[in-house]
Amino acid sequence: MNDALEIDDLTLWLGMLEKVVDGSTNMVVVTDRERRIKWVNATYSRVTGWSLPECIGKRPRELLHGPQTSAEELSRLASLIRQGQSVSNFELVNHKKSGEPYHVALNIEPIRDAHGEVCAYLSIQSDITERRQQERHTVELKQRLEVAQRLARLGRIDTEVETGRPRWSSEVFRILGMVPDEAPREFEGLLAFTVPEDVSDLRRSLADGVEAGEELDVEFRVIGRHGQQRWVRCRGVPACEDGRYTLPRSWSVQDITFYKMRLEEKRQRNEELNQLVLARTRKLEESNRALEEFSCALSHDLRSPLRHVAGFAHLIKENLAKGSVDDCLGFCDRIVQAAGRMQNLIEGLLSFSRMGREGLNVERVDLDAMLREVVVGLHDDAGLRNIQWRIAPDLPAIQGDAVLLREVWINLLDNALKYTGHRDISEVEIGWHPHPDGPVFFVRDNGIGFDPEHAQKLFGMFQRLHSEPQFKGDGIGLALVRRIVESHGGRIWATSKLNQGATFYFLLPNIADSAMPSDWGAVESVHAIGCRCGDSQAVEPGLQS
């Protein structure tokens, strides 16, 4: 530059400069001390659209500055020039002759005369528009990638190209509830947040994958900075160093908590569906058993009265053909009796089948009032029989179907009266005692009893342990009682000895606390009555409290 100052004629100096820089890929501008253009190279004209004759005598700002040129940057540039300082890589947005903006990097060097005064400026400008577009495009891609990763709950653990330091993406910090920072952070740093119960299996899986040199894909739970627990899925390819595999240098880290929650919800729904299927299967099996019982009824019990009707009708026909009518009235009575028996069987079957079709009408049931009403009706139907009733005071109120529970008491008490018919005094005791699962009620009689070995047959459809001539019945009552009790979630059983009476028990769950009797002495009194009767099997196995 000192050599250049020896050239007094600026025009001659520009001629020499033109030959040197006219073919440069950079834009070159020479201005006087007033910042008026003296010369531009061909690259300047090609980029800006301004020819040399159009530029001479103009200030650069008159040609290049436009709406996107920063006034603040222009002010800073002017301040540097006024101070006589060199300007290096000063970026600015200029405008071409067409009005199109472009990015430029300015390098301005003041040229001084022999006295040290600025006599001109040499400006070398680089068009960096394409570079800035690429940088902007890179930034936009990075932002879009971050948005996509955030939406996919996907983060990364990578090594920075510039520094060689491992770093977490912002999504990894978010998963752990942390504020992003610039500290070096490796994959081991993420493993430090692993739920303790998962550490052993996780380490084993990582070691096995590295040893095999296969892609690692592990899922584990982490505990965030604020105690929140989340599921993450990490994937990476082991790095190979000197023929040995090591943990990957790059990992994808995905938050799969939402996915795991949906899997658990699906598992729970499947479990609920399985339970529903099992429950419906049980109901279907019960329905199938009921159908088998109906088939048995139709093939056996219903045929007996039909045979009687057909047989006696045939006898009537023969007697009428012979002209004998004396025995016909007796045969007609037998037909009527058989038809009545058939009607009872059909009504019983309808009651029994209705249990499988109709739901429970649950309400509060006052058993004490219901039972006393049932006893009065049965006592009146018994006529002149000597019956001794013993009923526990303060029977509890429960939740259940009043109509069906009434059938339970009617059938059990009618059964007790039936099998005590040969006794001079029929003794029937009604009581209850509390149990954690619900109250246990019982009906005890002094009838003929039954063989304990056949106790399970009592509650089957059309099952009877005594011959029909001795005791009337069709074997439906106790089966109906069992179904009603079980439909309430309870259970029924019986104990007995031949000729020593029988006791029928049934448990009804969900007794209200307010229904427990206030007079516990009365309950103990009733229980004592049961003990005095000498029944050593008063409580069903498994119900002992």
Side-chain angles (χ1 to χ4, degrees):
M1 186 60 66
N2 291 332
D3 294 339
L5 292 177
E6 296 176 358
I7 303 176
D8 297 329
D9 189 348
L10 182 60
T11 303
L12 178 61
W13 185 87
L14 291 177
M16 295 175 60
L17 183 64
E18 180 179 2
K19 294 179 180 180
V20 175
V21 300
D22 201 33
S24 174
T25 57
N26 292 325
M27 293 175 282
V28 179
V29 180
V30 177
T31 64
D32 60 16
R33 69 177 63 190
E34 301 299 329
R35 295 286 290 152
R36 294 183 182 278
I37 297 175
K38 292 297 183 179
W39 180 81
V40 297
N41 69 347
T43 303
Y44 180 92
S45 296
R46 177 175 54 81
V47 173
T48 65
W50 295 103
S51 65
L52 177 59
E54 292 175 315
C55 294
I56 293 178
K58 302 287 181 59
R59 289 184 173 87
R61 66 171 179 268
E62 297 175 18
L63 303 175
L64 304 177
H65 297 170
Q68 294 190 29
T69 305
S70 171
E72 182 179 350
E73 293 298 314
L74 286 176
S75 176
R76 190 162 67 89
L77 176 62
S79 176
L80 293 174
I81 293 176
R82 282 196 301 272
Q83 295 173 15
Q85 298 182 12
S86 298
V87 177
S88 178
N89 289 321
F90 191 95
E91 295 187 9
L92 195 67
V93 177
N94 283 337
H95 292 73
K96 300 179 182 181
K97 184 178 181 180
S98 63
E100 178 186 353
Y102 68 97
H103 290 264
V104 65
L106 301 176
N107 292 276
I108 302 175
E109 185 71 26
I111 300 173
R112 302 179 185 276
D113 57 18
H115 304 288
E117 297 294 330
V118 176
C119 63
Y121 293 93
L122 174 63
S123 174
I124 300 177
Q125 306 175 11
S126 301
D127 185 356
I128 60 173
T129 303
E130 184 176 352
R131 188 177 75 186
R132 283 289 170 262
Q133 288 176 343
Q134 291 177 348
E135 291 176 353
R136 185 169 61 252
H137 183 61
T138 300
V139 171
E140 291 176 354
L141 286 179
K142 184 177 180 180
Q143 292 175 344
R144 291 177 183 178
L145 179 60
E146 289 180 352
V147 171
Q149 289 178 339
R150 186 167 65 251
L151 293 176
R153 296 178 172 85
L154 182 65
R156 294 200 62 82
I157 299 177
D158 285 313
T159 300
E160 292 180 338
V161 177
E162 297 84 0
T163 63
R165 298 189 309 170
R167 61 177 293 275
W168 291 356
S169 69
S170 59
E171 182 63 17
V172 179
F173 287 99
R174 188 202 65 79
I175 292 173
L176 298 175
M178 299 171 59
V179 177
D181 56 38
E182 297 301 325
R185 295 183 180 275
E186 299 180 338
F187 181 67
E188 284 291 336
L190 175 63
L191 297 185
F193 291 87
T194 306
V195 172
E197 294 83 356
D198 294 354
V199 172
S200 177
D201 291 340
L202 176 59
R203 291 288 185 185
R204 189 180 305 111
S205 297
L206 292 174
D208 293 344
V210 169
E211 183 178 357
E214 299 174 348
E215 178 184 347
L216 298 176
D217 188 345
V218 291
E219 297 178 359
F220 55 96
R221 294 172 295 172
V222 294
I223 300 177
R225 183 58 55 86
H226 303 294
Q228 75 278 16
Q229 181 173 293
R230 307 196 72 80
W231 276 93
V232 295
R233 180 188 183 187
C234 296
R235 303 177 66 184
V237 178
C240 186
E241 298 179 356
D242 299 329
R244 296 181 56 192
Y245 289 104
T246 60
L247 284 175
R249 297 190 182 95
S250 178
W251 291 88
S252 66
V253 183
Q254 186 174 17
D255 184 351
I256 59 172
T257 307
F258 183 78
Y259 169 72
K260 287 290 186 179
M261 290 172 56
R262 290 294 175 265
L263 282 182
E264 178 61 19
E265 291 174 0
K266 182 178 180 181
R267 187 196 65 78
Q268 292 180 357
R269 286 198 298 270
N270 288 339
E271 182 63 24
E272 292 172 357
L273 289 175
N274 288 336
Q275 293 299 324
L276 182 60
V277 169
L278 290 176
R280 291 183 175 178
T281 300
R282 286 193 294 267
K283 289 184 178 180
L284 181 59
E285 290 174 349
E286 292 175 358
S287 298
N288 289 336
R289 285 195 298 269
L291 288 175
E292 292 176 1
E293 291 170 347
F294 284 126
S295 298
C296 179
L298 294 173
S299 64
H300 183 267
D301 290 78
L302 289 178
R303 288 181 181 180
S304 178
L306 284 174
R307 284 196 301 269
H308 290 171
V309 170
F312 288 115
H314 183 69
L315 292 176
I316 292 174
K317 181 179 179 181
E318 289 182 349
N319 287 339
L320 290 177
K322 296 176 181 179
S324 174
V325 296
D326 295 337
D327 296 330
C328 289
L329 292 178
F331 294 151
C332 289
D333 292 337
R334 302 295 291 274
I335 290 175
V336 171
Q337 292 173 4
R341 173 167 168 71
M342 182 182 295
Q343 181 178 356
N344 291 335
L345 282 170
I346 292 174
E347 291 177 353
L349 286 171
L350 290 175
S351 298
F352 189 79
S353 64
R354 193 175 298 117
M355 282 296 301
R357 300 195 306 271
E358 298 180 357
L360 297 179
N361 181 24
V362 179
E363 58 182 322
R364 185 177 184 277
V365 179
D366 186 348
L367 290 183
D368 187 73
M370 173 188 288
L371 183 58
R372 295 184 185 280
E373 180 182 345
V374 170
V375 167
V376 170
L378 292 175
H379 193 88
D380 291 341
D381 292 339
L384 299 178
R385 283 183 56 182
N386 190 355
I387 304 173
Q388 186 177 87
W389 301 91
R390 286 188 292 174
I391 304 174
D394 299 326
L395 287 170
I398 64 168
Q399 296 293 322
D401 190 308
V403 175
L404 296 179
L405 291 178
R406 181 183 179 88
E407 289 295 321
V408 170
W409 287 113
I410 289 176
N411 279 280
L412 289 180
L413 295 179
D414 183 65
N415 192 71
L417 294 179
K418 180 193 303 181
Y419 291 103
T420 59
H422 66 293
R423 304 294 190 189
D424 293 335
I425 300 178
S426 296
E427 297 180 0
V428 181
E429 178 186 350
I430 304 166
W432 77 289
H433 59 79
H435 185 273
D437 293 339
V440 176
F441 300 93
F442 64 86
V443 174
R444 181 176 291 122
D445 63 60
N446 65 335
I448 64 170
F450 56 84
D451 188 343
E453 294 183 359
H454 302 148
Q456 295 302 320
K457 294 182 178 181
L458 285 171
F459 304 102
M461 192 68 170
F462 304 108
Q463 297 291 329
R464 304 186 67 236
L465 303 185
H466 302 284
S467 60
E468 180 178 330
Q470 187 176 3
F471 299 98
K472 300 292 185 181
D474 45 42
I476 294 178
L478 291 180
L480 179 62
V481 168
R482 184 200 66 181
R483 178 161 290 193
I484 293 174
V485 171
E486 291 179 351
S487 70
H488 283 75
R491 51 192 181 273
I492 186 169
W493 67 102
T495 60
S496 178
K497 292 182 180 179
L498 287 174
N499 296 317
Q500 295 186 26
T503 305
F504 287 81
Y505 300 89
F506 63 95
L507 180 147
L508 292 176
N510 301 325
I511 184 171
D513 293 339
S514 59
M516 297 298 290
S518 58
D519 186 0
W520 281 94
V523 176
E524 294 297 332
S525 174
V526 174
H527 195 56
I529 293 175
C531 293
R532 286 197 299 270
C533 289
D535 187 353
S536 61
Q537 299 177 341
V539 179
E540 179 191 25
L543 280 179
Q544 296 177 358
S545 56

